[in-house]
Amino acid sequence: MTLSPLLLGPATTVHVGDALDVLASLPSTSVDAVVTDPPYALKRVPASRYTRPATRRPQCVIDQCSADRVCSECLRADAVAKFSAAPMLGQQSQNWHAQETHSRGYADNDPVQFQYWCALWLQECLRLLKPGGHLVAFGGTRTWHRLATAAEDTGFEIRDSLAWLYSSGMPKSQNVERALATAGQNASARNWSGWGTTLRPAFEPIVLARRPLEGTMANNVTSWNLGPINLAGVTEQPGDADAIPRWPSNVHMDDSSARALTHHTTQDPRRVFWVSKPNKHERVVVDGVAHPTVKPLDLLRRMVRLTVPKGGLVLDPFVGSGTTLEACLLEDVHAVGIERDPAYLPLIQKRVARQTRDEPPATSDDVIHLF
């Protein structure tokens, strides 16, 4: 179900509904960038949902569309219906021991259907972007290649792969020695002491892609005011005032990782971006409701600043608690968001309200380590 868009101030609009439905209703070449943190996996569902034949929509006006040869629009509508109720898996759930979490949750992922689903919403994002507009999409370490492949197959140019490093990941590994002992294989269990199934997560990949330019870069900038990335806007100044600023890199780090780098090397750690994990000021809670996967506000601000000129328009098809929308407000950029779970609307409204009321932005104090 899709509700009427909510205007949360002059610069922010939120649509409540499934992303595939809402995206199809938006006008082409209308946004300057897509900055989003989509679900990282798609839970396996009965095969019958995907194998049943597509049907002609009652409202279809294409004469050639029939039960034997369904038109492309009806095929797309059928695919949207198949995915609209599919459980989406994130990197972390409210109960991190639950199945829908980092490593165990991916075991329940349907990779082929996940890539197909990504292609559906990415195809719409490509249509909505102006030529030269960028896509910034967070991914999971086991599934981001499906996201990147879907983007490339859809028509995006993959410009880079960014990494956000953090030092407080929590592994969800199976103790093989204990598993064998539980299964009654005590004799062989001792041989597998220290063996497990997963490494500790310590980074998240980010896909940076772009809708192809129209002509040369100069032509595209002149026509659409898009195409390049704002290097000056994300350049870290060196500690020495007389030193030359470092060229921005494609690596981002939390404070703990940056401190470790400072301790173990003589190189200037400002060659990478320092981004703390979301803290208690950034995370919003309304009536006990909180979003399980929240990205750092400063990291989203950098992604917006990197790809969108002031006054531009950013689309986030998977708003969650609204971090991207808040980042856009802080960077003087307009935003359109989509969220299919109405329970998160109060969180989004609270984020927008604290910026439109000129409340101070969140600080980097009191980092909460959640992994």
Side-chain angles (χ1 to χ4, degrees):
M1 179 180 65
T2 301
L3 304 178
S4 299
L6 304 176
L7 300 178
L8 304 182
T12 308
T13 303
V14 175
H15 298 260
V16 182
D18 185 79
L20 295 177
D21 283 332
V22 177
L23 288 171
S25 69
L26 300 178
S28 299
T29 58
S30 59
V31 301
D32 298 298
V34 176
V35 180
T36 190
D37 182 20
Y40 292 171
L42 184 72
K43 193 168 186 178
R44 297 184 189 276
V45 296
S48 58
R49 174 180 292 180
Y50 301 119
T51 56
R52 64 176 174 80
T55 57
R56 184 179 190 273
R57 297 169 300 154
Q59 66 270 32
C60 184
V61 296
I62 299 177
D63 294 336
Q64 291 81 5
C65 183
S66 65
D68 297 327
R69 189 177 180 83
V70 179
C71 71
S72 60
E73 286 301 311
C74 287
L75 282 173
R76 185 195 175 282
D78 187 75
V80 170
K82 289 174 181 177
F83 286 111
S84 61
M88 303 296 173
L89 307 178
Q91 173 125 3
Q92 153 194 357
S93 66
Q94 292 186 17
N95 174 10
W96 69 269
H97 293 286
Q99 211 170 12
E100 291 80 4
T101 54
H102 185 79
S103 22
R104 184 64 190 91
Y106 287 153
D108 298 322
N109 177 48
D110 187 330
V112 174
Q113 294 300 331
F114 174 70
Q115 182 174 326
Y116 179 45
W117 173 76
C118 286
L120 288 173
W121 65 263
L122 285 166
Q123 182 178 16
E124 291 297 334
C125 289
L126 186 71
R127 178 183 64 83
L128 296 173
L129 277 169
K130 300 171 185 176
H134 282 85
L135 164 75
V136 178
F138 287 79
T141 53
R142 299 192 189 188
T143 56
W144 77 275
H145 63 291
R146 294 281 182 176
L147 170 66
T149 300
E152 193 168 47
D153 289 348
T154 299
F156 280 96
E157 299 172 346
I158 303 299
R159 302 297 300 171
D160 209 336
S161 296
L162 284 60
W164 174 46
L165 310 184
Y166 48 83
S167 60
S168 53
M170 179 66 70
K172 299 175 180 65
S173 178
Q174 183 181 20
N175 186 316
V176 177
E177 180 184 17
R178 184 182 304 160
L180 288 169
T182 303
Q185 305 294 324
N186 293 307
S188 60
R190 291 187 294 273
N191 298 329
W192 294 97
S193 175
W195 289 72
T197 55
T198 61
L199 298 170
R200 178 176 63 85
F203 89 100
E204 290 190 30
I206 307 170
V207 176
L208 178 64
R210 185 177 69 187
R211 176 173 169 172
L213 306 175
E214 279 190 355
T216 66
M217 176 63 74
N219 290 339
N220 203 90
V221 170
T222 302
S223 300
W224 297 100
N225 200 34
L226 292 172
I229 52 177
N230 181 14
L231 298 174
V234 295
T235 297
E236 294 288 342
Q237 297 299 320
D240 185 349
D242 296 326
I244 300 174
R246 298 286 189 178
W247 195 280
S249 78
N250 55 6
V251 176
H252 307 252
M253 307 177 77
D254 70 358
D255 286 340
S256 298
S257 299
R259 283 194 296 268
L261 178 63
T262 304
H263 178 72
H264 291 290
T265 182
T266 59
Q267 299 294 322
D268 186 353
R270 290 175 182 265
R271 279 186 287 184
V272 296
F273 296 139
W274 297 22
V275 182
S276 298
K277 280 202 167 185
N279 56 60
K280 66 181 181 181
H281 300 289
E282 290 187 34
R283 290 181 170 272
V284 290
V285 180
V286 178
D287 296 331
V289 176
H291 196 274
T293 58
V294 178
K295 291 297 181 292
L297 179 60
D298 188 49
L299 182 57
L300 269 299
R301 290 186 67 177
R302 289 181 183 275
M303 296 299 100
V304 171
R305 197 159 60 245
L306 180 69
T307 56
V308 189
K310 297 286 186 182
L313 177 62
V314 166
L315 168 67
D316 184 353
F318 309 97
V319 166
S321 69
T323 310
T324 302
L325 307 186
E326 186 176 9
C328 288
L329 285 171
L330 290 167
E331 296 300 330
D332 296 324
V333 170
H334 297 263
V336 174
I338 305 171
E339 175 53 49
R340 78 175 188 175
D341 191 344
Y344 295 137
L345 274 180
L347 308 183
I348 299 169
Q349 291 171 319
K350 184 174 181 178
R351 277 191 181 273
V352 173
R354 69 186 183 187
Q355 299 306 335
T356 54
R357 290 201 301 260
D358 295 325
E359 293 187 10
T363 66
S364 58
D365 299 330
D366 304 320
V367 175
I368 300 176
H369 299 296
L370 295 172
F371 291 115

